[in-house]
Amino acid sequence: MHSPTYAGTRAYTAQVKPRISHDKVRSSSRHARSHLPRRQLDGGSLAALNGKCGAVQARRERSLNNHHDRTKLLEKNSFVGGRAQSEFRDEAPGYRWDTGPSLLLFPDRYRDAFTALGAKMEDYIQIKRVEPAAYRAHYGDKTHFDLVYDIEKMRQQVEELEEGAGGKFIQWLGKARASLDLGVKAFIEKDSQSALDFVNLARVGPLALAVNPLELLLSQFWQMSQYFKNEKLKALFSFQELYVGLTPYNAPGVFSLLAATELTDGVWYPIGGFQKVRDAFLSLAESNGVNLRMNTSVAKILTEQGEDGKKVTGVKLADGEELLADLVVANVDLPCVFDEMLDGEEMEQEAARLDKMDYSCSVIAFNWAIDGEIPELLHHNVFLGNDFKASWNRATQPSDLDAPFQPNFYTHNPTYTDPSAAPEGCNSVMVLLPIGNLQEQRDAAKKNKKEMPTREEMVNAGREAILRRFEEQGYGDIRSKIKHEFVYDPEEWRSMYNIKHGAVFGLSHGLLQLACFRPPTKTDIPLFPETPTVQGLHYVGASTRPGNGVPLVLMGVEVTYQNIMAEAKVKSA
């Protein structure tokens, strides 16, 4: 194996090959100027911070006024799309890696986003269902289980593992699907701004009648135990918590909806990689008249005190330039907004409150150019350790990953569906290893009276744990097949995307950090802290409602648009 290329931000931005050319603005943080002008954007203007879901906001802005050039999309990096990236490396020609999202769920939600932009998804991207199985689960005892879409075949496979469990699988899947259909309508398609939403029968009644509320609110492990005795089956239908930074032991059972959509709607992949999704939204944003500014770092969100409370007035860039706007949509990780971009005592108090909330795990992402193939891998793979509970423990120091420990991790092998991801006869593989976020690593080091481990120490320990697991599984010496490697670790996620603690899935998704409890918090519970309101300032992204994941963020954008329009009606009245 070649010596690993440790990917820093500079290496990343230099080697990404964008699919659409842009006029790029010089980085304001590196070219500071004094006495910069205040640029007035006409009334009704919008500034969207970070080019992640900005294309959707751009379309929504058109319904506010017909002056397209009033929408400014400000991106601190030299590329848009946030974590939705496909990367190429000069050292490994012909290989492509999806370094962020790698599976496409809820395809109709993507179609809705294109429709909202006046376009048809099929004109921009081709998606293909991953066949014949959504996943292959690789167990620590060298066995595996394929999660196929054929429900009768699934029932038979489940029955082989546990007598009588086949029928219970059908029963569980039906309730999980009800959680998906009715839960999305109750709490994702609609904003939640009061704890009374949880007892509003018109809202939650259909869901509560279809699924025992205890199965929704108690842990997913408890829910699994109501249906299955076999530990492999319990793990099989709850490993999806990996994608929201939780475990089956602290995730509410409602998250069974993730497995439901995978088994019933299917897992899909955009042919050509997630760059196709990114570039499609970018193209639509620009065709809708959005003014895109790359390499433009926002230092502050400007506000002033009005008659009815604090209101937004624009943004201040890192170089001192001010852009005035009466509507700002922040796609920056929400805790970062309060930590760095908003001034005032109440904003500092909110930042302190957010700091005490639970954050998701971080990950080390290993991207490998494999010389040859790993025939045992399907497109999507999850490796589950022998100790089904301990394998969820987040490593905070290198020794946590020492043998015989088997951590859970995800492996993406897109050439199984899309051969263009690697040269013929080769694989491009991304391995996602969950570990403790930076704060968890600091806390563990302090508790153990040790120095916090270096980035290289954690990466090296993680690599050895993964390669050891491939060997234990009987898949051979993968190390010798790796012709090139680049890695992203928690510090890289933090610095590249302003993600607090490098917690890649944002704020955790525990029960008390969902719906109205998730920032901007608004519960109407006496004495319960709420997020300060700033008129004209709205949030989208993983750490706000409804939560993490591209389709959820897209649905959250729709809800944000509804809130913007409601606010506009109040102002006009």
Side-chain angles (χ1 to χ4, degrees):
M1 184 183 76
H2 292 214
S3 298
T5 302
Y6 199 78
T9 301
R10 291 184 180 178
Y12 178 95
T13 57
Q15 296 191 48
V16 170
K17 294 183 169 67
R19 287 290 175 256
I20 298 178
S21 61
H22 318 286
D23 292 325
K24 297 180 179 179
V25 180
R26 287 180 177 269
S27 172
S28 57
S29 62
R30 286 180 284 178
H31 298 272
R33 295 172 292 175
S34 59
H35 308 296
L36 289 167
R38 294 165 61 91
R39 296 190 178 180
Q40 177 68 48
L41 309 184
D42 294 336
S45 59
L46 174 149
L49 314 185
N50 281 29
K52 300 171 187 173
C53 295
V56 181
Q57 284 97 338
R59 176 66 178 179
R60 298 317 190 191
E61 166 65 1
R62 292 189 64 187
S63 65
L64 296 178
N65 59 75
N66 293 322
H67 301 283
H68 306 174
D69 61 352
R70 293 177 180 176
T71 301
K72 309 293 181 184
L73 181 57
L74 310 176
E75 169 58 59
K76 87 176 186 72
N77 290 315
S78 63
F79 52 91
V80 299
R83 281 157 274 183
Q85 301 295 328
S86 299
E87 288 200 42
F88 305 81
R89 294 284 158 151
D90 293 337
E91 299 89 340
Y95 289 86
R96 184 190 72 238
W97 297 268
D98 294 300
T99 55
S102 60
L103 64 164
L104 193 151
L105 302 178
F106 298 97
D108 285 345
R109 299 301 176 171
Y110 287 79
R111 290 189 180 92
D112 291 344
F114 278 89
T115 300
L117 289 158
K120 185 178 180 181
M121 184 180 76
E122 287 74 15
D123 292 339
Y124 288 83
I125 60 174
Q126 175 193 355
I127 65 171
K128 183 177 180 180
R129 193 166 80 157
V130 174
E131 299 281 0
Y135 288 91
R136 171 167 287 177
H138 306 256
Y139 293 112
D141 62 358
K142 299 185 180 182
T143 63
H144 67 261
F145 191 112
D146 291 348
L147 282 86
V148 297
Y149 304 119
D150 185 321
I151 301 303
E152 173 57 21
K153 187 173 181 180
M154 276 291 296
R155 187 197 67 78
Q156 294 174 6
Q157 289 185 113
V158 169
E159 186 70 20
E160 289 175 4
L161 280 181
E162 179 186 330
E163 185 177 357
K168 291 182 179 179
F169 161 72
I170 300 295
Q171 182 184 5
W172 166 80
L173 183 60
K175 291 187 177 181
R177 183 71 215 192
S179 298
L180 172 63
D181 293 337
L182 300 174
V184 166
K185 290 180 180 179
F187 286 104
I188 297 179
E189 291 180 346
K190 299 177 183 177
D191 200 8
S192 176
Q193 299 188 18
S194 172
L196 293 176
D197 293 336
F198 290 97
V199 293
N200 183 335
L201 292 181
R203 186 165 185 158
V204 303
L207 177 59
L209 289 173
V211 184
N212 182 342
L214 291 179
E215 290 194 27
L216 301 173
L217 301 177
L218 296 182
S219 75
Q220 192 167 24
F221 179 79
W222 181 87
Q223 183 195 88
M224 291 292 101
S225 299
Q226 307 311 298
Y227 296 91
F228 310 114
K229 297 178 182 178
N230 187 285
E231 294 297 325
K232 287 185 176 182
L233 292 177
K234 293 178 185 178
L236 186 68
F237 301 120
S238 60
F239 71 77
Q240 293 82 0
E241 311 309 345
L242 188 153
Y243 308 125
V244 290
L246 293 172
T247 79
Y249 303 93
N250 63 9
V254 69
F255 278 106
S256 61
L257 61 83
L258 293 173
T261 189
E262 291 172 349
L263 289 170
T264 56
D265 297 325
V267 176
W268 301 74
Y269 184 71
I271 299 302
F274 263 82
Q275 63 176 347
K276 297 296 185 180
V277 178
R278 174 200 68 196
D279 293 348
F281 281 132
L282 175 58
S283 176
L284 286 168
E286 293 182 323
S287 67
N288 275 283
V290 173
N291 185 319
L292 171 63
R293 294 183 60 170
M294 315 279 271
N295 298 307
T296 302
S297 182
V298 173
K300 294 291 179 183
I301 296 172
L302 303 176
T303 63
E304 67 179 19
Q305 192 66 34
E307 294 181 0
D308 300 322
K310 187 168 287 189
K311 64 179 183 180
V312 74
T313 60
V315 298
K316 183 178 182 179
L317 306 183
D319 65 0
E321 180 183 0
E322 294 182 2
L323 301 176
L324 304 186
D326 54 12
L327 179 59
V328 171
V329 178
N331 203 5
V332 184
D333 191 40
L334 189 142
C336 177
V337 173
F338 286 89
D339 279 345
E340 301 178 14
M341 296 184 176
L342 288 168
D343 291 331
E345 183 178 354
E346 61 179 347
M347 302 304 173
E348 292 177 1
Q349 292 173 350
E350 177 67 0
R353 184 182 77 90
L354 295 177
D355 192 53
K356 295 177 183 177
M357 295 183 79
D358 291 333
Y359 286 77
S360 66
C361 65
S362 190
V363 299
I364 301 175
F366 296 90
N367 298 274
W368 292 335
I370 300 296
D371 187 8
E373 296 180 325
I374 307 175
E376 295 84 1
L377 295 182
L378 298 188
H379 187 132
H380 298 294
N381 307 266
V382 62
F383 286 72
L384 301 171
N386 263 334
D387 188 330
F388 292 105
K389 186 172 184 178
S391 61
W392 284 99
N393 292 342
R394 302 175 184 175
T396 56
Q397 54 189 357
S399 60
D400 291 341
L401 294 164
D402 287 348
F405 179 64
Q406 293 181 331
N408 294 338
F409 60 88
Y410 162 78
T411 301
H412 185 225
N413 178 38
T415 51
Y416 195 89
T417 301
D418 181 5
S420 71
E424 185 176 358
C426 297
N427 291 156
S428 62
V429 169
M430 185 268 284
V431 179
L432 208 65
L433 175 67
I435 65 169
N437 62 51
L438 293 172
Q439 186 59 53
E440 290 172 328
Q441 292 184 41
R442 283 189 288 267
D443 290 344
K446 183 177 180 180
K447 179 180 179 180
N448 296 324
K449 297 181 180 180
K450 295 182 178 180
E451 292 291 326
M452 184 171 170
T454 66
R455 301 164 68 178
E456 289 79 4
E457 288 172 340
M458 290 298 293
V459 167
N460 290 338
R463 183 190 302 107
E464 291 306 311
I466 292 166
L467 293 174
R468 181 177 70 243
R469 181 62 194 281
F470 273 102
E471 292 177 2
E472 291 171 349
Q473 205 72 16
Y475 298 165
D477 179 16
I478 304 300
R479 186 190 309 268
S480 63
K481 295 183 178 181
I482 301 174
K483 63 183 295 184
H484 180 68
E485 173 194 81
F486 65 97
V487 176
Y488 289 124
D489 71 353
E491 183 58 40
E492 192 69 20
W493 299 119
R494 185 201 64 77
S495 62
M496 194 184 307
Y497 299 117
N498 287 342
I499 300 173
K500 187 160 184 171
H501 306 318
V504 292
F505 305 108
L507 285 169
S508 186
H509 296 73
L511 191 60
L512 292 179
Q513 291 185 186
L514 294 177
C516 63
F517 297 102
R518 196 168 185 84
T521 306
K522 183 172 172 54
T523 67
D524 292 334
I525 299 175
L527 302 182
F528 195 93
E530 297 192 347
T531 301
T533 299
V534 179
Q535 295 177 39
L537 175 59
H538 297 267
Y539 313 93
V540 294
S543 286
T544 187
R545 296 190 292 269
N548 168 75
V550 176
L552 261 66
V553 170
L554 292 176
M555 286 185 267
V557 169
E558 173 66 30
V559 171
T560 297
Y561 163 66
Q562 295 170 2
N563 291 339
I564 290 172
M565 295 305 295
E567 185 178 271
K569 289 180 180 179
V570 171
K571 289 174 66 177
S572 64

